Structures are given as structure tokens and as C-alpha cells.
Amino acid sequence: MSAEIVNPKDGLGEDLIDPAFALHRSGKMAVQATVPVRNADDLSLAYTPGVAKVCSAIAEQPELVDEYTWKSQVVAVVTDGSAVLGLGDIGPQASLPVMEGKAILFKQFGGVDAVPVALDCRETDEIVETVARLAPSFGGVNLEDISAPRCFEIEEKLKQRLDVPVFHDDQHGTAIVTLAALRNAALLSERPLGDLRAVISGAGAAGVAIAKILTEAGIGDVAVCDRKGIVSQDREDLTAVKRELAGFTNKAGLTGSLADAMAGADVYIGVSGGTVPEETVATMAEGAFIFAMANPNPEIHPDVAQKYASVVATGRSDYPNQINNVLAFPGVFAGALQVRATDITEGMKLAAAEALAAVVADELSADKVIPSPFDERVAPAVTAAVAAAARAEGIARR
């Protein structure tokens, strides 16, 4: 999502220089009433004195807030602007166009109302405390574009404090869609996940979450690589998150570089940026799967990947098999909110991935292992699966 910095009023003025500026003028969203206020009677019901009855009822029975306000149908999209996709640390105000975009995707693809909340603070506990104090207004919290490793601790602390779903989409949305695509690639090639060895390039938010969900799904083995090479238990420079990662990945005990990990690997998953040399790609197993998801420049260009892989996916919309979070988060939250779940669990994420994969299971080809974001079957399928999983796990409140 990197972009050239442009002054919209240079030269042509009035947004004519770039249609992106014209589209964003005055923002991309607005609040719209769901009830009319046409006369005094309407006003007395929507506001005073009628509203007092509802307020008093909620004060006596707090759970009624879900029935008589929008709380149970709205998500806070929270960021500090520290890790905006493709742009990096641009701060809370510059992040707002992205957060507005996220909010309209919630509505467009999941029927979920969402509100951008850009925070002017960076300390982990400060963010946690701020979000916790805002939480009574929302039925869920979507954490977005917060840099690692803080994002892990922020999510975990909020999950412990709040009784509504908290979901860091950069981690779990990416992981859900990646697993769905990998399930279908394996199905297409008639190989079980348990026979596959995967390599993940990138040990940030997405890389860690993908490693966790692949392990939960039964992948044969997965090695994660950071800038210094394979994350392994013999390394002494690991953060707490990476030490945990080393504990459940890399069963083969590999050490060395990304190139060492990729030799003979069945799956490459890129969430890091950079470029993988073609000679390294050529060492992968025959019929490999390559998911190079860095934007706008995949770690392995699709033209190179096609030479060596049976299935290729990217994060781009102009190539087949786009790994796009919009396939996951609208339905995940819609399902969780539908049953007023108190959390979004690993089981719910796995159910979302299975449902997403099933949407195109009867239409599989090398160029179609994941649905299009505009496939109208996606959100209903994910919503239903997540809601059912929440009920099965006993965390649904209706």
C-alpha cells in the first residue's frame, strides 16, 4: 500500500490531480440514523423523556445494553498508526484513511458497523487502558496496524480484561486466509497437511499467527525465519514471543538461513518483504506452494514462482489467489457478534478457515484455491461457521 507523496492541490487543484484524493474528500463514512425523528412524538421516544426508561432498565439489568443500543452490532477499529501496511509508522492521524477503509469493508462485506479509533499513545499499558475504558460502547475490538511485539501483549491483555471479542487482524485475519488457501492447495494436489513442511519468512505479527494456526491445523512441520535466520531453540537472541515460537515450530531442528530452510520445503509463505533469489526458490520440493504476500512487491515474483510451484498466491489483486484479510474479518466478527461471543478462540479461527476453503472446494484449480473478496458466499459461510464454533465452545451468550 505504499504510495507516492502528492499534494492534491499541486498543479490542477480541487482533487483533479488524483482520483484517490477526490474519493477521500470529507472521509469515506458517516453516521446514519436507523429510526426517524419527524415530529415531537418521535423526538420524545428517541430522546427525552422516552430514552430515560431505556437507560433506567439498562442500569438495573446491564445485559439489556445489547438489546436496546447498537453496542452488540458495532466494532471499534483501533490503531496507534505505528505499523500501517506498506507505510510503516505514520502516526494516528495519517492512519485514519486506512481505518475508515477498514470500517467500510466491515459494513460492505459483513454487514457490521465499525468506528475508526486512532489513539495518540504508544505505551502498551496506556493503549490497553484507553481501549478498556472505551469498551462499554462496543461489541468487539479490532486491533489494526500496531507494531510488533507490542501488538501481542496489547491483544492478550485486552482479551483478559474485556468480555467482548478482541481480534488483531494483522495476525489472525492473515492466518485464517492463509490456512484456507493452503488447505485447498493441498486438496488440489491430493496431499494431507500433515505431509507438508512449510517455511514462513517473517516473524512479526502475521508470521507468528500463521505458524500457530498451521500448527493447530496439523501441518507436518513449519520453520519460521526472521532477519537473522531460522527461529530455533539454540538461538540466544530471541524475544519472548520468538522463544515461544521456537518451542512449537521447527520439529526438524533446522538451523541457518532462509535458504537453508527452503531447501526441500513444500510450502513458502512470505510475510516479510525483501526478495528471495530464484536459485533458492529452485531448491524447493517439486510441486511446491508459494504464497508470497508482501505488497506491492511479493518476495518471489509470480513469474518466478510459476516456474517452480504448482500453486502461487500473493497479496495483490492483479494476480490469482489473493490472500486478502477482507475474506476473514467481516465474517469472523459478524459470527461472533451474532451470538454475542465473549472471545474469538482458536477453534473459531479454524472454523472460519475451513468454511472459507469450502466456498470454492468444488471449483478448485491452480488459479482458484481461495475465493474472490467479492464472492457473495464468503461472509455468510464464515459467519455461520464462527457462530456455530462459539456455541460449541460455550462462549456464546445467545
Side-chain angles (χ1 to χ4, degrees):
M1 200 168 65
S2 59
E4 181 183 356
I5 297 175
V6 177
N7 184 335
K9 294 193 175 180
D10 282 348
L12 298 177
E14 288 303 314
D15 299 331
L16 295 178
I17 192 170
D18 190 326
F21 285 98
L23 183 143
H24 284 78
R25 179 170 286 280
S26 300
K28 299 192 291 289
M29 56 187 296
V31 174
Q32 182 176 344
T34 60
V35 296
V37 183
R38 299 162 298 196
N39 51 46
D41 288 342
D42 289 344
L43 181 59
S44 68
L45 288 173
Y47 199 51
T48 186
V51 74
K53 297 178 182 179
V54 180
C55 292
S56 297
I58 294 171
E60 292 179 11
Q61 300 181 61
E63 66 275 11
L64 293 179
V65 70
D66 290 320
E67 291 291 341
Y68 294 108
T69 73
W70 79 334
K71 174 183 168 71
S72 65
Q73 304 169 66
V74 66
V75 171
V77 182
V78 177
T79 190
D80 64 355
S82 61
V84 179
L85 180 63
L87 299 173
D89 186 353
I90 59 175
Q93 291 190 111
S95 76
L96 269 175
V98 180
M99 300 310 117
E100 287 183 3
K102 194 80 173 191
I104 65 175
L105 295 180
F106 265 110
K107 189 67 172 179
Q108 171 82 17
F109 293 103
V112 173
D113 289 309
V115 177
V117 180
L119 303 179
D120 188 14
C121 54
R122 291 295 175 89
E123 293 297 325
T124 294
D125 288 339
E126 200 174 6
I127 291 174
V128 170
E129 188 63 31
T130 302
V131 176
R133 290 177 182 273
L134 290 169
S137 295
F138 300 99
V141 176
N142 182 95
L143 299 173
E144 190 77 18
D145 293 350
I146 298 173
S147 62
R150 295 176 309 127
C151 59
F152 302 111
E153 187 177 358
I154 290 167
E155 183 187 45
E156 186 56 35
K157 286 185 173 181
L158 284 172
K159 286 170 76 74
Q160 291 172 5
R161 285 189 62 170
L162 303 182
D163 64 350
V164 297
V166 178
F167 184 84
H168 183 212
D169 186 47
D170 302 323
Q171 292 183 60
H172 310 300
T174 305
I176 289 167
V177 182
T178 300
L179 174 58
L182 184 57
R183 280 190 180 283
N184 277 342
L187 182 61
L188 184 65
S189 64
E190 299 182 340
R191 285 184 281 177
L193 283 178
D195 288 352
L196 302 178
R197 180 171 73 82
V199 175
I200 300 172
S201 174
V208 170
I210 292 169
K212 287 181 176 179
I213 202 169
L214 293 188
T215 301
E216 289 282 344
I219 193 82
D221 196 8
V222 55
V224 183
C225 298
D226 62 11
R227 290 183 180 87
K228 296 182 180 179
I230 300 169
V231 175
S232 56
Q233 292 185 332
D234 66 328
R235 281 178 49 180
E236 298 180 356
D237 60 342
L238 300 180
T239 63
V241 170
K242 290 180 184 179
R243 282 197 299 273
E244 179 189 359
L245 190 62
F248 67 85
T249 61
N250 193 22
K251 298 174 188 174
L254 301 175
T255 58
S257 66
L258 174 64
D260 294 319
M262 288 182 66
D266 302 292
V267 184
Y268 169 85
I269 297 170
V271 283
S272 63
T275 302
V276 179
E278 183 171 348
E279 55 266 29
T280 298
V281 180
T283 68
M284 294 184 71
E286 185 177 353
F289 310 141
I290 293 177
F291 296 179
M293 298 187 287
N295 257 320
N297 299 311
E299 296 89 346
I300 302 170
H301 193 280
D303 292 345
V304 173
Q306 291 285 359
K307 296 180 184 179
Y308 306 99
S310 60
V311 176
V312 176
T314 72
R316 291 174 51 148
S317 60
D318 54 345
Y319 288 101
N321 298 325
Q322 184 190 18
I323 307 295
N324 191 327
N325 290 10
V326 78
L327 290 164
F329 69 82
V332 168
F333 268 100
L337 294 178
Q338 184 181 94
V339 298
R340 295 179 190 159
T342 56
D343 193 6
I344 293 174
T345 65
E346 292 303 314
M348 292 160 73
K349 296 169 199 171
L350 288 170
E354 291 169 7
L356 181 56
V359 169
V360 292
D362 294 332
E363 309 162 24
L364 291 183
S365 70
D367 286 344
K368 194 173 186 179
V369 295
I370 200 74
S372 161
F374 297 98
D375 189 323
E376 294 181 354
R377 298 171 295 176
V378 168
V382 174
T383 298
V386 169
R391 289 194 176 105
E393 294 189 29
I395 61 168
R397 287 179 283 198
R398 74 168 185 181

